[in-house]
Amino acid sequence: MSKRVLIVVTNVDHYDIDPSHPTGLWLSELTHAWDIFEEHGFEQTIVSPAGGRSPLEPRSLKFPNYDKSAKAWHTNPERMALLETTKSPDEIDAAEYDAIYFTGGHAVMFDFPGSEGLQRITREIFERGGVVGAVCHGYCGLRDTRLSNGDYLVAGRNLTGFSWREEVLARVDKLVPYNIEAEIQERGADYTKAKLPFVSYAVVDGNLVTGQNPGSAKETATKVAALL
């Protein structure tokens, strides 16, 4: 049987602090992973905190982020339809999946952490040795996830994710609801990042795989695939 991967996307389309400022799924963080998992013959399902539509981050549709992979998805009606009909956590049986992979975009900061359904799925996959992956802001989905013993999943784990320096350089440090780099460390994670912003950087710690930024999506997905 082929391996099964659950890919997590957001339902949020704007910043709470400034509703006129749009956000959403960072498309290439989905497509780069999808392409790699597809090459390996993995079966993929898309889930979101609320189910249904996952809007796209407008900035992910511009150069240099709008690359061949993202464009191929964006111009394919069948692929785009997958983002209109995502599953909800209640529809997912974690036992059927070998890995969960959290995509990013600033939107996930608002709806990933509070999803008890995603936390349940993540915990169940992780505790039976499945792979938990996250790229860029995707690690917001790991911030509040606890294991069966009450410990944070990230406690004592080596990981990475979008850095505060990158938030400042992206000029959204005044819009984001919290500093995820700081908060993940408050949960006991051993956070590291690349010496330069926006370059590919991924960390593997057992069955936890994390990538720092959009440019890390291919490396992160490749490392997830290798574990599978």
Side-chain angles (χ1 to χ4, degrees), residues 8 19 21 26 36 46 48 73-74 79 83 91 134:
V8 191
H21 201 106
W26 199 274
I36 288 169
I46 303 179
S48 62
W73 184 292
H74 193 225
R79 287 288 166 91
L83 296 177
E91 297 176 89

Side-chain angles (χ1 to χ4, degrees), residues 109-164:
M109 301 185 79
F110 298 96
D111 66 347
F112 276 13
S115 174
E116 293 183 1
L118 289 177
Q119 292 175 28
R120 169 188 60 80
I121 295 166
T122 304
R123 175 175 57 253
E124 291 177 4
I125 290 175
F126 186 78
E127 290 188 335
R128 61 178 169 76
V131 180
V132 172
V135 67
C136 197
H137 287 91
Y139 75 137
C140 294
L142 306 178
R143 188 191 72 173
D144 298 329
T145 300
R146 292 182 183 270
L147 302 176
S148 297
N149 64 6
D151 292 343
Y152 285 113
L153 184 152
V154 299
R157 293 277 175 174
N158 298 302
L159 54 69
T160 189
F162 206 67
S163 68
W164 185 250

